[in-house]
Amino acid sequence: MTEPATPEIRTSAKAVILHDGQILLIRASWEDQECYFLPGGGQHARESLGDTVVREVDEETGLTVTVERLLWLREYIGANHDHPETEANTHRIEAIFLCTPTSDPGQLGGHAQDEVQTGLEWVPLGNIPAINLLPQTIRQPIASLTEVPQPQDTYLGDVA
């Protein structure tokens, strides 16, 4: 009997960039759907997660940002979700940071965009529950950023 392959853990950092009641999102065409993602990406060796999010935001959006604080930590263990056969070896850990733009929020245009990226868009926070922002689990926590700050669990767990 063959042992299952050991999953590789991929760590990444994502940004919640807020400006004037809006959040900056990446518009994308992914798996035959139009959707949105938070800017961010994979961590390099010997790079802090804070440095990762700053670099990735610059590459994908052209913005420079300051990291304010960690909002949430999300895991995704593929074997536990929709496609366990094809994603059995997928294990991702994402640190999601609140960031503030330090360059002009109106001047967007990254220099190393992801292949699925079709654009960038400032979206009003109130619209978040109604749009196809992936992963769906982060819609409500992001939308609640408009409310009076309430203590939230930082660790979101293994969610799709």
Side-chain angles (χ1 to χ4, degrees):
M1 183 176 209
T2 308
E3 290 280 326
T6 302
E8 281 193 37
I9 296 176
R10 179 179 185 261
T11 55
S12 66
K14 302 287 184 169
V16 170
I17 305 166
L18 301 179
H19 178 70
D20 289 341
Q22 300 180 87
I23 182 172
L24 182 60
L25 299 176
I26 292 176
R27 196 172 49 248
S29 180
W30 179 74
E31 291 191 352
D32 298 325
Q33 64 181 319
E34 294 299 314
C35 59
Y36 294 89
F37 295 105
L38 293 173
Q43 182 180 34
H44 293 168
R46 295 177 297 282
E47 181 179 55
S48 73
L49 286 166
D51 289 345
T52 298
V53 77
V54 168
R55 175 183 52 77
E56 286 284 343
V57 166
D58 176 54
E59 290 175 1
E60 294 175 350
T61 73
L63 275 182
T64 55
V65 295
T66 298
V67 176
E68 300 297 332
R69 65 183 170 94
L70 177 67
L71 288 172
W72 307 292
L73 186 66
R74 171 188 176 248
E75 279 192 271
Y76 176 83
I77 301 171
N80 298 341
H81 296 287
D82 293 343
H83 308 286
E85 312 80 28
T86 58
E87 295 193 358
N89 291 322
T90 301
H91 189 163
R92 292 190 302 264
I93 300 170
E94 293 179 344
I96 304 170
F97 292 95
L98 178 63
C99 297
T100 302
T102 54
S103 61
D104 183 351
Q107 297 294 313
L108 299 176
H111 56 86
Q113 298 159 342
D114 292 337
E115 63 273 359
V116 299
Q117 185 173 337
T118 60
L120 298 164
E121 191 172 326
W122 286 102
V123 176
L125 282 172
N127 294 357
I128 294 301
I131 67 170
N132 191 19
L133 173 61
L134 301 177
Q136 293 180 8
T137 307
I138 64 172
R139 290 181 198 167
Q140 190 52 51
I142 289 173
S144 70
L145 292 172
T146 62
E147 301 167 6
V148 175
Q150 301 293 321
Q152 295 183 20
D153 289 333
T154 303
Y155 179 63
L156 297 177
D158 174 22
V159 295

